[in-house]
Amino acid sequence: MFSYLRNRFTSHLRERSRRRARLVSKDGRCNIEFGNVEQSRFVFLIDIWTTILDLRWRYKMTIFISAFLGSWFLFGLLWYVVAYIHKDLPEFNPSINHTPCVENINGLTSAFLFSLETQVTIGYGFRCVTEQCATAIFLLIFQSILGVIINSFMCGAILAKISRSKNRAKTITFSKNAVISKRGGKLCLLIRVANLRKSLLIGSHIYGKLLKTTITPEGETIILDQVNIEFIVDAGNENLFFISPLTIYHIIDKNSPFFHMAAETILQQDFELVVFLDGTVEATSATCQVRTSYIPEEVLWGYRFAPIVSKTKEGKYRVDFQNFSKTVAVETPHCAFCLYNEKEAKAKEKKGFDNPAFVMSEVSETSDTKM
């Protein structure tokens, strides 16, 4: 019992450590941390627009509310200062003939309300600027212009955040596992991808990167070394008609990094297969990228995907997403090298080969026999 629990705990820690080392999560988020960039923080302030767009919603809404409340309160203080300098406040006991800079400002609260009414152009009419004070007129113009800038920037950032093509990528889904089986007489790695919307992605392109740690002949260790993985789609790699789920596959030949892997050793490998799908959103013409990744535990050797497209009695095509990631075991060579040698052997059997070293000699038969 103790050994069983120890093995389960060890396997859990191994799986957890492997998940921690994952660069790209299943939903496409990159698990990477940048260190010692304090000296370059100013660069993010220069590109303030992208910085605001990349913020999470809670931070963005905090900045949104703080920008408006802060500007209203700041200009409220300035209006209070103008009223205080011009002695428009009730504590100065102004005369009946006294014309204030701003009508009906009696304190900090009323100054804040006038600041809010000015910046958001409410204009109730109870408080207004008079022509007696040039400072108040200048402050009114300055707050109106600054208010338009703040309103345009913050509302534009909210709108851009909502309409980002990253949200369109959430309706593109990949299969939970990748499978390895024969396809067209070749050993292939297959992945299924589906578009959950009826609107298409224009100019879609699918490719992959294999991330692993390699050691160069010079002894240099390269972490997260990237190897290109070419994926093929029967419908064509460019301008996919992405209305129904597609199965993309990578041919495991001599140039493939999976060529020297086998069914018995693939779980012992240390790699991460990252798959990318680039396309243009049909509705907004904005480009988007969908990402996912597969680690050795998520690559099933000797399986294929179950069919999910059928035709109804009404003549419509139906996609059953319940079987989207379902796999079926099939007979598969346990390594690509074995399949390659098997094909060579069969090809040699069909051909005849001459042996130049072979010489046929005739033997003369004699009927004389010596005793």
Side-chain angles (χ1 to χ4, degrees):
M1 182 66 180
F2 177 75
S3 60
Y4 172 77
L5 293 176
R6 183 179 61 184
N7 293 334
R8 287 294 301 271
F9 181 73
T10 304
S11 62
H12 174 73
L13 290 180
R14 189 184 301 111
E15 182 180 356
R16 186 177 178 181
S17 63
R18 188 179 292 272
R19 283 200 301 265
R20 287 182 179 177
R22 193 174 198 145
L23 179 64
V24 180
S25 62
K26 297 297 289 184
D27 58 357
R29 297 182 180 180
C30 296
N31 180 27
I32 190 168
E33 179 181 347
F34 297 100
N36 299 323
V37 294
E38 289 79 6
Q39 298 178 357
S40 303
R41 295 291 183 183
F42 184 70
V43 178
F44 295 96
L45 296 178
I46 296 177
D47 189 14
I48 188 64
W49 177 254
T50 306
T51 302
I52 293 295
L53 290 182
D54 289 340
L55 289 177
R56 295 185 177 181
W57 274 109
R58 54 179 177 267
Y59 301 124
K60 185 185 294 293
M61 295 307 299
T62 301
I63 295 176
F64 181 85
I65 296 172
S66 300
F68 283 101
L69 290 180
S71 61
W72 295 340
F73 185 74
L74 175 61
F75 280 100
L77 288 177
L78 295 178
W79 287 116
Y80 179 81
V81 170
V82 169
Y84 184 87
I85 295 175
H86 201 254
K87 297 182 179 181
D88 298 335
L89 301 176
E91 56 262 28
F92 292 105
N93 296 319
S95 61
I96 299 176
N97 297 327
H98 178 77
T99 303
C101 289
V102 182
E103 295 282 357
N104 300 311
I105 286 188
N106 302 319
L108 187 58
T109 303
S110 57
F112 174 79
L113 291 175
F114 180 71
S115 173
L116 188 152
E117 296 167 10
T118 301
Q119 188 163 327
V120 299
T121 64
I122 296 176
Y124 291 118
F126 183 69
R127 300 178 183 87
C128 59
V129 177
T130 63
E131 68 277 4
Q132 298 295 325
C133 187
T135 304
I137 297 174
F138 173 79
L139 185 59
L140 176 68
I141 296 173
F142 182 72
Q143 183 178 4
S144 299
I145 296 175
L146 186 62
V148 171
I149 295 175
I150 295 176
N151 187 61
S152 301
F153 184 87
M154 298 309 302
C155 293
I158 295 295
L159 180 61
K161 181 76 171 180
I162 296 175
S163 60
R164 291 186 78 177
S165 57
K166 184 183 294 186
N167 297 326
R168 176 64 175 91
K170 297 183 182 298
T171 56
I172 305 295
T173 180
F174 288 88
S175 57
K176 182 180 179 181
N177 297 300
V179 297
I180 295 179
S181 60
K182 291 178 65 176
R183 187 183 181 97
K186 300 177 181 178
L187 192 64
C188 301
L189 182 142
L190 301 96
I191 298 172
R192 179 173 277 173
V193 58
N195 179 14
L196 301 182
R197 289 185 180 273
K198 291 185 178 180
S199 59
L200 302 179
L201 283 180
I202 304 172
S204 301
H205 177 61
I206 299 177
Y207 58 97
K209 299 286 184 181
L210 188 70
L211 308 179
K212 60 180 182 178
T213 300
T214 59
I215 300 178
T216 63
E218 294 76 19
E220 179 185 3
T221 301
I222 303 177
I223 302 178
L224 296 180
D225 186 24
Q226 300 184 14
V227 180
N228 289 327
I229 301 294
E230 295 293 334
F231 281 100
I232 302 175
V233 185
D234 290 335
N237 289 1
E238 301 291 342
N239 301 322
L240 302 178
F241 185 50
F242 202 8
I243 194 64
S244 62
L246 298 176
T247 301
I248 62 175
Y249 58 95
H250 164 71
I251 300 177
I252 303 178
D253 53 13
K254 291 184 177 181
N255 298 323
S256 172
F258 295 95
F259 184 76
H260 297 286
M261 299 183 188
E264 299 82 4
T265 62
I266 189 170
L267 294 179
Q268 303 172 4
Q269 303 294 326
D270 185 14
F271 67 84
E272 180 177 353
L273 175 62
V274 184
V275 184
F276 303 86
L277 171 62
D278 297 339
T280 304
V281 181
E282 187 178 24
T284 61
S285 298
T287 58
C288 70
Q289 183 182 87
V290 193
R291 299 180 295 268
T292 191
S293 68
Y294 299 92
I295 55 178
E297 286 79 2
E298 296 170 345
V299 179
L300 305 180
W301 196 295
Y303 289 84
R304 64 172 175 85
F305 291 111
I308 60 174
V309 180
S310 60
K311 195 172 184 179
T312 62
K313 296 180 179 179
E314 294 79 12
K316 294 183 178 181
Y317 293 94
R318 183 177 184 271
V319 180
D320 186 8
F321 280 96
Q322 185 177 0
N323 296 333
F324 179 73
S325 295
K326 186 177 180 180
T327 57
V328 180
V330 292
E331 184 179 354
T332 306
H334 75 284
C335 67
F337 188 74
C338 298
L339 178 63
Y340 182 79
N341 288 343
E342 180 183 351
K343 287 185 177 181
E344 278 194 343
K346 291 182 178 179
K348 289 181 180 179
E349 288 179 358
K350 297 179 181 179
K351 299 179 180 179
F353 293 90
D354 295 332
N355 186 357
F358 179 77
V359 179
M360 183 177 179
S361 59
E362 296 182 358
V363 180
S364 58
E365 296 182 357
T366 58
S367 57
D368 298 335
T369 303
K370 294 182 180 180
M371 297 297 295

